[in-house]
Amino acid sequence: MITSIISEIIQQISQNNSVPVYSAFDAVSIERKSKEFFTTVGLNSFDLQTPIYSAFTIFIPYKAEIDINVTAPENYSMQKLYEYFSDNIKSALNDISGMNCSIRKISMKHDSNINRLVLMARFSVSGIDKIERSSE
């Protein structure tokens, strides 16, 4: 379920723009990622709620905190990076059906290891996963 949530977020962000989006759990080194913008999506916390059973389906409510890091090209301003985030990432998350996303925390820092500005956003995500019950 965790990988499907991250995959859905990656897919939604990718559909909204042409910038590469990676899972935080991939093995792609920073040197192989884009010299322009790129985004990573990771998981900070995950909590399953009490399942709800019906005759044919099990509904599993969940809550998660998703970390999204947007790395800007070199010499990019904070203002332009935030505008990029608002126009491309934040708006994409608002369009995910069946999942509620809201910003909990946002910050920026200059990563001296790669000499680039990084915007870090934590989103609270909630939804309900459905599993069909077997007829055994």
Side-chain angles (χ1 to χ4, degrees):
M1 183 183 297
I2 293 171
T3 55
S4 67
I5 293 168
I6 291 174
S7 295
E8 188 170 344
I9 291 171
I10 289 172
Q11 179 181 2
Q12 186 68 31
I13 293 171
S14 296
Q15 286 176 356
N16 266 26
N17 62 68
S18 60
V19 173
V21 182
Y22 302 94
S23 167
F25 307 107
D26 68 13
V28 179
S29 68
I30 192 80
E31 294 82 22
R32 296 185 64 213
K33 292 181 179 172
S34 175
K35 297 293 182 200
E36 296 299 313
F37 282 104
F38 70 86
T39 302
T40 56
V41 178
L43 181 74
N44 185 336
S45 66
F46 184 75
D47 184 30
L48 288 175
Q49 307 296 306
T50 304
I52 303 163
Y53 297 90
S54 72
F56 303 105
T57 309
I58 302 171
F59 299 93
I60 305 172
Y62 63 86
K63 292 181 180 178
E65 286 191 347
I66 301 293
D67 289 336
I68 298 178
N69 295 334
V70 182
T71 303
E74 285 188 44
N75 303 319
Y76 215 75
S77 74
M78 285 185 166
Q79 180 179 350
K80 284 185 178 181
L81 177 55
Y82 183 77
E83 287 172 7
Y84 172 83
F85 168 78
S86 293
D87 294 343
N88 296 285
I89 309 300
K90 187 177 164 189
S91 63
L93 294 178
N94 291 334
D95 294 339
I96 298 177
S97 64
M99 194 182 290
N100 296 319
C101 300
S102 60
I103 294 179
R104 293 194 35 118
K105 178 179 164 182
I106 190 166
S107 61
M108 282 191 219
K109 74 170 189 170
H110 184 265
D111 188 334
S112 58
N113 293 328
I114 58 174
N115 199 29
R116 293 167 73 173
L117 193 59
V118 180
L119 182 144
M120 296 154 293
R122 178 161 295 160
F123 284 83
S124 177
V125 176
S126 62
I128 299 176
D129 198 23
K130 295 189 291 188
I131 301 172
E132 298 298 320
R133 295 179 84 167
S134 63
S135 57
E136 296 178 32

